[in-house]
Amino acid sequence: MSLKKLLTATLAFFAMQLAEAGVAIEHWVTPSGARVYFVASRVLPMLDVQVDFAAGSMFDPADKSGLAALTRAVLDLGAGSRDESDIAEQLADLGATLAGGADTDRASISLRTLSALDKRSEALDVLRAVLQEPRFDDAVVVREQARTIASLKDAATRPDAIAGKAFWAAMYPKHPYGRQATPESVATLSREDLLAFHARYYNAANATITLVGDLSRAEAEAVAESLAAGLPQGEAAVLPAPPQKVRGKVTKIAHPASQAHVYIGLPAVERGNPDYFPLLVGNYTLGGGGFVSRLMQEVREKRGYAYSVYSYFSPLRQAGPFQIGLQTKGSQAREATRLARDVLEGFLKVGPSEDELVAAKANLTGSFPLRLDSNKKLLDNVAALGFYGLPLDYLEQYQAKVQAVTVDQVKQAFFRHVKPVDLMTVTVAGE
Amino acid sequence: MQQLLPFLLAPWLLTAAHANPFETTLQNGLRIIVKEDHRAPTAVQMVWYRVGSIDEVDGASGVAHVLEHMMFKGTPSVGPGEFNKRVAAAGGKDNAFTSRDYTAYFQQVPKEKLADVMQLEADRMRHLNVDAREFAQEIKVVMEERRMRTDDAPEAKLFEQMNAVAFQAHPYRRPVIGWMSDLEQMSAADARAWYDTWYVPNNAYVVISGDVEHAEVFALAEQYYGSLEGRDLPRRKSQIEPQQEGERRITVKAPAELPVLIMGYKAPVLRDVEKESEPYALEMLASVLDGHDAARFNKKLVREDKVALEIGIEYEATARGPGMFYFSGTPSEGHTVADLEAAIRAEIARVQKDGIGEAELKRALAQLVASQVYKLDSMFGQAMEIGQTESAGIPYQQIERMLDKLQKVTAAEVQAVARKYFTDDRLTVGSLDPQPLASKPRRAAVATRH
């Protein structure tokens, strides 16, 4: 009997569990202070664990851009009695994987393992070691530093990466979100810097633990406790002053690519802002709804200016960007950019039509089950909810909140957060 | 296997699920494959056409992909752009993809909307409008797509040109997105002819997975797809790539900081699941060299010798056309592509001379076993697996047999395929020679030969 048939059989037996149960998130705090979020999903014999720390690049010291990312990169390359090869080999033998990375806000480490007790105990041992006794071996730090510098140098030749960096720098001139790792800044980092950053931010007070998979509540409690117990209690990260709005400007950077890369946007809202739902629903019509959005209709469908054109809000711990992006051949960059701005300004004046609002709500509420139909998607959603401290019933309330949005709320929310005079425009293109 | 997952062994569970996936064939030749998965109240429909860039001819490269774009431009009963609108209104997501071997369309929807998207796909299977004005706009979009994905993407450009050298007679030498000059000269009539020739139910199959009952899906399929008429397909001429007799090399210059190396060896693909063994051995070799963080390449070339910044292997064991086993990587600072090529060759020679260890094989097997569990987490992934396997002419029922065969690969078989296929006469080497942006100093020039 093959493995596949056995697994198929298991599926049939447990059929309907996930669907009937909905998303029941259980939440508690470990004695050491880590917040835990747990969703039992017992259909498949697997377990996903993610640990998030408020240890993203926004906490890089001003003269040490890239420190958060390098700290995270080296974190799981050697821990306790295991060097990096031991970790890699042990996980490979178990069929388990460690993943994760650092963004502006978070440093994440996630483990996927089979849930059979012998497998998961060993895999969790590795994760525990990585969380509690990372080695930051000097040779590994030096090597990863060199790899980081090389990829930063390479990114500095890519039009999209150049445009992205310039865009964030323009939006956040005096806030850590606008500071970027450079080959030079990464070159100054030392092992001591990594140790100090780790000691400050990788602690229980600064951690959320998310578990999704084939565990009972009691087992989940034991797992979370064993991961959190050895973490120093520590102190939660202290946020910098929120980003200030600045007057919009246009930045042009020369590049020999055949296409111009264009970004338009500004700092908009933080996670948990009550305007988020009106902005989300409104943006569906503007540039979030794929082919049915106005930007796609005008820029791509009617004129063939671009393959990809979109807009979105990306709420972060502090005001994250509202962003429009497109790529178009250099000779028509000006028209395409003008057009995208016209579409935006037209939308800001009148908001979505009633029909557009209905269509936006139909898609955003109707597609909601698709956001949660795998353990991986559950993990992503629940980990974000936990990390940002959103209400536990956030997912349950999502569809109702979308439904409640009115045209007027959309207009007012955009008026508050997207002022044309503050828009930054960055174009990377041929002369 | 059985010690691994002992709780799965309850024999009374086996009979009911045995038939899943379920399959039926309509009168017009359209096959419907249903994989029931009741974890969440969603469903995926994928319609696969057995036509891709492999079926194109010179001067019309890219037409398979252009037609994929035109499939969203309306029918007599569904206006231009209306397809997307209806899927969106149903709370769905949809898209399509074109490869060398196939063109496929999919929708992910809440399960109660499955019938709606089946009706939509059935409609455009035979009733597409290929309007000249819509075409004139859309071909511009495709050219922008080419600029974005290939012309301004150095690795993609290298890969494109490297394949154009590795294959001379076989259609795999042409890029799926098409050469720019072919796109510039393509007309609505070309797209129309493509549609009329290949988009018929007997050249397609539908894969549906999710929280559905197969009998209901079969009834819906009959209702919507059943009336479409089948038609004979043109004879597909097999175009055999002449045997390569000597190494081939190509250099591509593009704005970049880091060089890139691709080495491709012509290698077999699976035509007969039972009779052949070499493709399985090549897959296990790929896993031993590059399947996980502890695999040889990452351990030796990235971590220990630090000759590579990154390195990877691509090998697809199933395809309609000829196979290639690709090595690709970026040398680290202070190393050239020649250094990296020498290091990869040394690793290949090590397998050829000393073989691989039982522990390495066991580790590759552990990866395989775990991945069979993890793949069940994605409904979309399961439908993809069925669709792709079928696209290469291998029945999905043989997927588990292929997994069995993979697990039986021996270290000796791995060594034998390494010896047989990794020879200079089967090799094409492509390297990206990075060019500085204006005003920036350029990195040391690339040596051409080790």
Side-chain angles (χ1 to χ4, degrees), chain A residues 10 93 147 259 301 375, chain B residues 8 73 144 309 363 374 377:
Chain A
T10 325
D93 287 339
R147 292 181 71 200
Q259 280 187 318
E301 297 298 285
N375 288 11
Chain B
L8 293 176
K73 297 298 175 184
E144 291 296 344
L309 269 184
R363 192 167 282 160
Y374 301 150
D377 194 35

Side-chain angles (χ1 to χ4, degrees), chain B residues 148-298:
Chain B
M148 185 177 85
R149 288 194 200 277
T150 307
D151 296 342
D152 289 346
E155 293 89 351
K157 197 189 270 183
L158 173 64
F159 184 75
E160 176 178 281
Q161 299 203 13
M162 187 254 189
N163 275 295
V165 168
F167 296 106
Q168 298 181 333
H170 194 274
Y172 277 2
R173 75 186 184 280
R174 288 188 294 261
V176 173
I177 195 143
W179 300 114
M180 188 61 102
S181 76
D182 288 352
L183 297 177
E184 283 163 354
Q185 296 173 71
M186 199 173 287
S187 69
D190 295 323
R192 170 97 245 165
W194 187 260
Y195 179 75
D196 288 342
T197 307
W198 299 111
Y199 280 63
V200 286
N202 47 308
N203 194 37
Y205 49 98
V206 180
V207 182
I208 288 169
S209 70
D211 188 12
V212 297
E213 299 300 327
H214 66 279
E216 288 173 25
V217 175
F218 289 168
L220 289 170
E222 182 58 49
Q223 182 184 343
Y224 295 121
Y225 291 100
S227 61
L228 304 175
E229 276 183 40
R231 190 162 24 73
D232 286 346
L233 296 163
R235 190 166 73 86
R236 297 182 202 246
K237 299 179 182 174
S238 56
Q239 300 176 72
I240 310 293
E241 178 68 18
Q243 177 146 349
Q244 183 175 340
E245 287 157 345
E247 192 177 294
R248 296 173 189 167
R249 287 188 174 260
I250 180 172
T251 301
V252 174
K253 293 181 178 178
E257 167 71 17
L258 301 172
V260 177
L261 171 74
I262 305 182
M263 300 168 65
Y265 291 93
K266 302 250 169 71
V269 293
L270 200 57
R271 306 281 177 214
D272 186 314
V273 170
E274 288 302 329
K275 285 187 192 142
E276 288 165 33
S277 61
E278 289 180 338
Y280 305 112
L282 286 163
E283 272 205 50
M284 292 310 268
L285 176 58
S287 180
V288 166
L289 293 177
D290 183 46
H292 44 83
D293 284 346
R296 284 191 182 191
F297 273 11
N298 192 42

Side-chain angles (χ1 to χ4, degrees), chain B residues 110-155:
Chain B
K111 65 173 179 174
E112 61 275 12
K113 304 292 187 181
L114 177 65
D116 298 357
V117 292
M118 289 177 74
Q119 184 172 14
L120 281 169
E121 280 290 10
D123 177 47
R124 69 178 177 179
M125 183 173 282
R126 282 308 302 130
H127 303 119
L128 189 69
N129 288 334
V130 184
D131 178 76
R133 263 181 322 186
E134 293 285 345
F135 179 89
Q137 287 306 327
E138 199 60 25
I139 196 73
K140 290 190 213 162
V141 172
V142 173
M143 287 190 260
E144 291 296 344
E145 185 179 358
R146 192 193 145 84
R147 289 185 188 102
M148 185 177 85
R149 288 194 200 277
T150 307
D151 296 342
D152 289 346
E155 293 89 351

Side-chain angles (χ1 to χ4, degrees), chain A residues 16 58 93 153 221 237 250 252 260 311 321 324 327 355 357 378 383 388 426:
Chain A
M16 302 308 294
M58 72 187 297
D93 287 339
K153 283 183 184 168
E221 284 184 19
V250 175
K252 289 190 173 161
S311 66
I324 293 174
Q327 309 83 21
D355 284 354
L357 188 75
L378 279 171
Y388 288 110
V426 171

